[in-house]
Amino acid sequence: MMDAGRHPNITLYTNAEVVALRGSAGDFTATVRCYPRYVDQSRCTGCGKCSEVCPVVVPNEFDVGLGARKAIYSPFAQAVPSAYIIDRENCLNDRLIVCERCRRACERQAIDYDMQVQDVEVPVGAVIVATGFEVFDPYAMKTYGYSVSPEVMTGIEFERMLNASGPTRGRIIRPSDRKPPKRLAFVQCVGVRGERDCQYCSRFCCMNSVKNAMLAKEHEPGIEQVTIFYSDIRAFGKGYESFFNRSKEHDYIRYFRGKPSKIVRDAQTGELHIFVEDTFAGKPDKVVADMVVLASAAVPAEGTARLAETLGIELDESGFFKVVEENGEPLSTTREGIFLCGCARGPEDIPDSVAQGSGAAAAAQRYVAACRVEEVKQEIPPLNTDGPPRVGVFLCHCGVNIAGVVDVRSVADYVRELPGVVHVEDNLFLCSDAGQKLIQERVVEKGLTRVVVAACTPRTHEPIFQESLRLIGFNPYLFEMVNVRDQCSWVHSQEPERATLRARDQIRMGVARAHRLEPLEKRQISIERAVVVIGGGIAGIEAALRLDAQGFPVYLVEKEDELGGRLRELAFLAPHELPARTLLERKLAQLQASDVHVMTSVQVTQVTGFVGNFEVTTTRGLLRAGALILAIGAQPYQPAEEFAYGQTHAVMTNYELEHALAGGDADLFVGGRRVERVAFIQCVGSRNPDKNPNCSRICCGTTVRQARQLRRMGAEVVVFYRDMRTASHGGEEAYRQARGEGVIFVRVPDGRPPEVVPLAQGCHVRAFDAMLRDTVETDVDLVVLAAGLVPREPDTSKFREMLKVPCGPDGFVLERHPKLGPVETTSEGIFVAGCVQGPKGVGDALSQAAAAAAKASILMSRDQVSLDATTCTVLEERCRACGTCVSICQFHAPELYVLPSGARVARINEALCKGCGTCASWCPSDAIKARHFTDAQIEAMLEAMLLEEVA
C-alpha cells in the first residue's frame, strides 16, 4: 500500500467507485464517483486529535464489530491514505445538533462538512478488476449456532482477535466471559462445497485454519486441545503439505473427519457441544469445545453484480466475475481490455493473487504501451549531514507486537541518555503513511544526521524507511534499523523484562553503529533492453508474447526442436476440457505473428553478467539481455515398480493415459482388450516423505477430468484417494459432477496405499476403504497412477548453478518470497515462470508467466538500473592476489587483474557483489572492506554491548 500510495504515476481514488465505462479497449473513459470524506486529504496529517474529542462510538467494521471506532476515524492503523474520514450517518452534526468538536480540534482546518460527491472522468486504455471477496455470513445456518452462541465466530473474526492491533490485542478470549478457551474447534467448509447450493471450494480455508490452530497455542499457551473438523485437507500450495504435516506433530492438534450436524451451547457451563459423525469410525460423536471458529466461505464482494453491469462484463454461476479461461486467457473477462485478478475471479490464495495481479498488469500493458510514461528524474537537494552525528531514534509499537511485551516508554527514557541522541519518539506504526511522514518531518525539524528505527524485520521494512528518507534528500545509508520485534518481543514474549533489557542493548548497539555510518551513493548502469526467455513451453511462450506486446525485444530459447513442452503431450486440460492442441496452436499462431526471436534446438551453455547486462552464451551465439526468465518446466514422476508399474501393460501413468485419450471418446483398448473397468490411484510420487513430501497440485484435477471422459466412454471408474485436492478454478464443480456421473471415490488411509496384483488380463486391486472400515477388492482392465511432478533434471540443477538461484528442499527453484515475490528470485533481474518454481496447472502457469513478463518489463522500461552501494571494495595496496576472495565468493564478484606495473590484485565487480562481506572476513591481508559494514562499525557495536555488561 505504501508503494502504491507514493508512486508518482499512480493516482489513488479511495472512497470511490466506477459508475460508468465508455469506449473500447485501448480507449476507455471511466467515470469515477468520489464520495466525500469531509476531511481534506491535503491538510490532514492523521494526528487523530479529531477522533479523540469525538463523542460518538460505533462498531468498527475493520474489526468485524468486535471493536469500536469514533464517527471520525481512520479505517485502520496503516491505511493509505492516512487521512481521516467522517461517518456522516453517525455524526452528530447530521442530527440537528451542532457538535463540531472535530472541527475545533483540527489545527490544520482539514474538516469540511460541505464536501460534495464528485464525478471524475478518467481516460484509460484498460481496466483491471481486483475487488476481492467478502466472508459468508453464517447467521442463516442455524445448525452452527452462529449469533446464538457468542463463542461461535467466523474465521475473519478470529483473525482480528489474533491480530496484535486487533480488538483484543492478540489475546484469544471468549466474548461471553472474557476468558481464554482451553478447547478450541475449527469447522471447515461452512457455506461451500454443497452447502446452501454453493458448489465451489474457497481454496484457502484449510491452510488458514491449520495456521491459526498453531498460532492459537502461541497466543494462548493454556489452550489444551484444538480440533479441526474437515472433509479434505487441501494443502495444495508450494510447501503447504510440509506445513500441514508439521501441525500434525503437535499433540494438541486433532484432525477429525466429519461435518458437524449441529452445535449447541450448554446454558449452564457455556460449553459448546458439537454433534458430528466420525466418518472414519462410522458412528456419531459429540465433541465439547469452549470456542468454535467457522471457516466461512469466500463470497463475491458486495456490488459485484452492479459493477459487472457497469463494465459490461459477465458473472459466472457462483456470482464472481466470469473468466474466459477456456480460451487460455485466465485473466480475461468477456469484454476486451478488462482483466481480473485475485478473488474477483473466485477464491484464491495470496501467492496466486499476487502473481495474477502482475499478470493482469502485463495484459493491460498491451493497450497502453504507446502511452508509456517515461521516468522523470526528480532532483532532490541533499540534506546537510556534516558535523558531529545528531542521532534520532524512533521506536515502533507495531500495534502490541512490540509494545505488548517491551516497555517502550522505559526504553525511550533510556535511549535519550545515550551519547549523540538528540531526539527520541515512539509511534503505533512507524511503517504507516503517517509514521513515515513523522520521521521525515522530525529529520528536517531536528536537524538529524543519523536515524535509528527500532521496529520489525529489516528484510521487508528497511527499504521503506530508506526510500522515505531518500525522498527528503537524506542519504539512506545513514539509516540504521534494529529488529526489536523478532529478536526481542517475539523470542521473549513470556519474559517482558528480558525483552525490554534486550531491546535496550540492541538499540544501544544500533546507535553506536549509526555514529560511524558513512554516506554512500548508488551507481547507475545502462540496461540492455532485451529479455531472454529460457524454455519454450506454454509458460515461456506466454511470457515472450506478453513482453513482445509491449515492444521489447525477446529471445525465446528452447533446447528441443519444437515449442510447446509438456502441453504437446496432453490431450485435454482440466477442468474445462479445452483441447490442449487448440490452446497450443493458438499461442503458436500469436507467436508467429509477433517479433519474438524463436530459437529452437538451442542450448544455453553459460550465463554471465548481472541485472541489466546479462550475457547468455548459446550453441547459436551470444545473446545480451537486461533480464532473464527461466521457464524450463518440470517432469512427471516416473514410477519404479510401484503398483506393478512396468510389469504389465495394464498399469500406466496418467500422462500415458492422456496420450491414449487424445482421440476423444472413442473406445479405449489396452493390450488388445477394450477397457471397461478402470482404477485410479492418487498421490503416486507425491505426499511421500521418501520421495516428494509435497502435493503436486494438478493430479486430482487431471484424474477427475480423465475419469469423466472414461465414464462417457462407458467405463466403470473407481478412484482411490487420500484427499481430493481439486484446487483449480472450477475444479470442485467438476469433482461433484464426476460423482454425479457415477465415478466412485474410495478414500484410503495415509500409509496404507492400495495393492495392485497383475492378472493375465488386467489387474486385481485391493485397498482399505477408510469410510467403510473394510477392505475392498476389484478386478479392473486398467490401473492409472496419478503421478506427480518433480523438478526437471538435469536442467534444473544446471541452471541453478549457472544463474546462482537457490532451490528449495523439494528441488524446485526457490522464489524470492513465497507470498510477496512468487516470480522473482534472489538474483536480481532473473525471474521464474511455470512449473520450474513448483507444480501448477496450465491456467496458473499462464498467470505466472504474465507476472514474470510484467516484472521484467519494469526493468526494460528504464534506461538505467541502480546498483546498491553496500558492496565490498579492495584496498589494492594491501592485496597479495592470493585469490582467496575469488574462490570463496558464490556470486563470482571478485576477479584477479594485472596492473600496468605487472602486479596482480583482486577487484570486485560491484554489479555482482551482494555486500555479504564473506570475502572481507576471509581476506588474510585485510585488503577488502565491506562499505556498509566496516570494521569500525562492527567494533563500535561490540564495544557498546560490552560496555553495558561492565556497567
Side-chain angles (χ1 to χ4, degrees), residues 448-523:
L448 304 178
T449 59
R450 302 289 188 276
V451 171
V452 176
V453 167
C456 54
T457 171
R459 182 185 176 196
T460 55
H461 284 69
E462 187 174 43
I464 295 174
F465 291 108
Q466 288 182 318
E467 177 63 11
S468 294
L469 292 170
R470 188 193 67 80
L471 291 174
I472 59 171
F474 188 93
N475 190 293
Y477 296 98
L478 299 178
F479 166 81
E480 172 71 1
M481 190 165 182
V482 181
N483 187 347
V484 294
R485 187 191 65 177
D486 303 27
Q487 298 170 358
C488 298
S489 63
W490 279 5
V491 295
H492 297 296
S493 60
Q494 304 302 316
E495 303 169 296
E497 290 185 2
R498 292 189 67 181
T500 302
L501 286 173
R502 181 161 177 174
R504 289 168 49 170
D505 288 347
Q506 292 192 193
I507 296 172
R508 185 176 67 253
M509 295 165 69
V511 170
R513 179 170 183 247
H515 276 270
R516 288 159 180 80
L517 290 174
E518 299 169 358
L520 301 173
E521 296 298 332
K522 289 187 176 182
R523 196 160 63 89

Side-chain angles (χ1 to χ4, degrees), residues 295-312:
S296 295
V299 297
E302 182 183 0
T304 295
R306 186 174 68 248
L307 181 59
E309 185 177 355
T310 299
L311 299 179

Side-chain angles (χ1 to χ4, degrees), residues 616-635:
V616 181
T617 304
T618 74
T619 51
R620 202 178 295 174
L622 181 67
L623 304 175
R624 300 182 191 279
L628 307 178
I629 295 178
L630 187 64
I632 59 173
Q635 64 187 28

Side-chain angles (χ1 to χ4, degrees), residues 416-438:
R416 284 192 184 90
E417 304 303 320
L418 294 176
V421 174
V422 298
H423 180 73
V424 179
E425 190 163 351
D426 60 281
N427 187 271
L428 185 62
F429 282 107
L430 282 172
C431 61
S432 67
D433 188 34
Q436 300 291 292
K437 290 178 181 174
L438 179 144

Side-chain angles (χ1 to χ4, degrees), residues 740-772:
E741 291 162 0
V743 178
I744 298 172
F745 290 85
V746 176
R747 188 182 187 105
V748 298
D750 291 349
R752 294 185 66 178
E755 299 174 18
V756 177
V757 179
L759 302 175
Q761 294 288 338
C763 294
H764 181 75
V765 181
R766 181 187 305 118
F768 184 80
D769 188 326
M771 313 294 282
L772 297 177

